[in-house]
Amino acid sequence: RPAANASAASPAPPLLAENGTLSYRSLVYRLNFDQPVRNAGRFPARSAAAADVVLVVQVHDRAEHLRLLLESLRRAAGVENVLLVLSHDLWAEELNRLAARVDFCPVLQVFFPFSIQLYPREFPGHDPRDCPRDVGKAAALRLGCINAEYPDSFGHYREARFSQTKHHWWWKLHFVWERVRALREHAGPVLFLEEDHYLAPDFYHVLKKLWALRERECPECQIVSLGTYSPVRGGFAGRADKVEMKTWKSTEHNMGMAFGRDTYQKLIECTDAFCTYDDYNWDWTLQHLTVSCLPKFWKVLVPEIPRIFHTGDCGMHHKKSCRPSTQSAKIDSLLNSNQQYLFPETMSVSKRYSMAPLSPHVKNGGWGDIRDHELCKSYRRLQ
């Protein structure tokens, strides 16, 4: 079985092959240590340390989606006050070129140091001695493959390309809050995005309003969520300044989640629970934490009209071919026809839903391997 990233990795520079992987690893280690913030000098009054909102984007390999996200960010009012952190699990020239073109705010690239690209033929990538996914435990033990003792809840063995996303998410969470020197004093908010998200021009304005509203009216709301997957029906009139208070639900509120250091600190205390729960989805794992480990289930403030949209229905779970630019054009058209309702002067809570803890309705598996558990738990001790 080929390494899971065989098709995704960028062509290796001439140096590479066995030695090349080691060159990449040392490059990533150095960049994560040096943390060069681009454009810091261009916004002297707002050094990276003084950014009042931090955007962290988890980037894999979809350059066209990332290009659209960065274009939407360029057009957003107040973007010069933001520190943009791009967290990559793939070193690729095209992605680096897109990052280098950002000239509208300070930007920092960090790199997940345990990616498949950096470990192509050993864990956390795919080791040739690993058990095939569907072999069954009895056959695996006879084969003597190295993870025979650790299938998931459904009897399947790990697939590196599915494990990587959860690893990257948890590493990035910890790295941003505890290892990025420019953010040592930052209390929040940090807004977490993915490469296939797309921002409304007033997302920064609305996030600031929501953050103030949270402090004023719902200090127990640990999360502010700016996104939605549901299509927006009808116009924005009478709704663009309204906010709902709900129980946080992973399938609805995992897009454009913003939270502060206080929420992070409670979350990182749940490292063991996050890292051993048998679900390869980071968001379903968080849902589990809200009922199993965190001191309280999460409450969320959500604007009635989202300010973050989704350009990719071709994520990990989707097979159909994808035209992100078609999607972004539809979003632009929706925003343009409702322009007069953007940038509301005030935001107010319109609905307070009855709130109760919410358990994941199913455990998805894919995270039974003890090596994944231990690597995931180790991030707090590393670099």
Side-chain angles (χ1 to χ4, degrees):
R1 184 160 86 167
N5 74 323
S7 61
S10 56
L15 286 183
L16 294 189
E18 279 307 308
N19 282 352
T21 303
L22 297 177
S23 309
Y24 270 160
R25 282 186 208 166
S26 62
L27 177 62
V28 158
Y29 185 87
R30 194 174 75 239
L31 286 170
N32 284 349
F33 186 79
D34 292 345
Q35 300 175 14
V37 177
R38 231 185 254 118
N39 301 331
R42 211 175 277 191
F43 303 96
R46 308 179 185 90
S47 69
D52 57 358
V53 169
V54 178
L55 258 62
V56 180
V57 185
Q58 184 156 325
V59 182
H60 179 46
D61 64 354
R62 292 180 292 171
E64 179 60 8
H65 287 89
L66 180 62
R67 185 184 69 74
L68 292 166
L69 168 62
L70 294 175
E71 270 181 26
S72 71
L73 186 56
R74 179 187 295 280
R75 296 194 294 261
V79 67
E80 66 281 359
N81 302 308
V82 160
L83 170 65
L84 173 63
V85 180
L86 299 173
S87 184
H88 299 265
D89 54 34
L90 191 70
W91 179 273
E93 289 308 319
E94 192 178 3
L95 299 171
N96 291 336
R97 271 198 303 275
L98 288 170
R101 277 191 219 132
V102 172
D103 57 4
F104 45 82
C105 68
V107 60
L108 169 66
Q109 285 177 277
V110 299
F111 294 86
F112 174 51
F114 301 100
S115 65
I116 295 168
Q117 186 184 33
L118 299 178
Y119 293 86
R121 292 184 58 74
E122 63 189 288
F123 178 86
H126 176 72
D127 190 309
R129 300 166 300 161
D130 281 347
C131 301
R133 177 185 184 272
D134 297 321
V135 70
K137 189 168 181 180
L141 290 164
R142 281 197 302 278
L143 273 175
C145 42
I146 55 180
N147 51 336
E149 293 284 359
Y150 302 107
D152 70 8
S153 310
F154 301 95
H156 299 305
Y157 290 98
R158 86 185 288 269
E159 292 176 277
R161 69 202 168 97
F162 289 119
S163 306
Q164 177 168 273
T165 308
K166 179 168 169 174
H167 275 296
H168 185 177
W169 198 88
W170 196 247
W171 173 84
K172 169 196 74 181
L173 176 80
H174 174 261
F175 194 82
V176 163
W177 283 110
E178 303 210 25
R179 296 287 182 263
V180 173
R181 291 185 289 279
L183 298 179
R184 280 214 175 113
E185 307 300 316
H186 185 69
V190 172
L191 175 63
F192 289 89
L193 301 171
E194 293 179 29
E195 63 193 11
D196 62 353
H197 293 169
Y198 194 80
L199 305 168
D202 68 343
F203 92 90
Y204 170 84
H205 170 91
V206 167
L207 178 56
K208 297 280 285 180
K209 298 269 182 207
L210 282 177
W211 201 246
L213 183 70
R214 165 190 175 262
E215 286 172 6
R216 218 168 46 243
E217 290 202 31
C218 188
E220 74 282 10
C221 289
Q222 299 90 333
I223 305 284
V224 164
S225 175
L226 290 184
T228 185
Y229 295 97
S230 324
V232 178
R233 304 198 188 284
F236 291 13
R239 301 159 68 204
D241 59 349
K242 301 292 190 291
V243 183
E244 300 177 338
M245 207 181 278
K246 297 180 165 182
T247 301
W248 184 82
K249 189 175 181 183
S250 65
T251 48
E252 288 176 24
H253 308 126
N254 66 358
M255 190 167 127
M257 280 169 56
F259 50 88
R261 191 173 287 276
D262 51 348
T263 297
Y264 161 73
Q265 278 161 344
K266 292 188 177 75
L267 202 45
I268 205 71
E269 289 304 313
C270 290
T271 290
D272 283 11
F274 182 92
C275 291
T276 56
Y277 183 65
D278 186 13
D279 195 318
Y280 69 96
N281 297 289
W282 62 265
D283 47 357
W284 280 109
T285 304
L286 292 182
Q287 189 77 66
H288 167 71
L289 297 189
T290 66
V291 294
S292 66
C293 173
L294 290 164
K296 296 189 177 102
F297 70 90
W298 276 352
K299 297 175 183 176
V300 62
L301 285 179
V302 196
E304 272 192 39
I305 297 295
R307 293 327 200 267
I308 295 176
F309 300 86
H310 194 224
T311 55
D313 274 331
C314 22
M316 200 181 332
H317 305 289
H318 297 274
K319 299 282 186 285
K320 63 185 179 190
S321 71
C322 217
R323 290 293 309 277
S325 53
T326 311
Q327 199 53 33
S328 67
K330 279 186 199 159
I331 298 163
D332 285 342
S333 161
L334 176 74
L335 292 166
N336 290 337
S337 59
N338 286 281
Q339 226 169 327
Q340 68 271 42
Y341 306 114
L342 299 178
F343 297 96
E345 274 181 41
T346 56
M347 308 265 319
S348 60
V349 177
S350 57
K351 292 184 191 138
R352 294 168 194 262
Y353 287 83
S354 63
M355 291 185 272
L358 202 58
S359 296
H361 61 77
V362 65
K363 189 192 276 191
N364 292 293
W367 193 267
D369 197 306
I370 195 168
R371 296 171 298 171
D372 284 318
H373 302 173
E374 293 307 312
L375 176 63
C376 174
K377 287 191 243 178
S378 76
Y379 301 142
R380 288 179 84 180
R381 302 192 295 273
L382 295 171
Q383 183 182 358

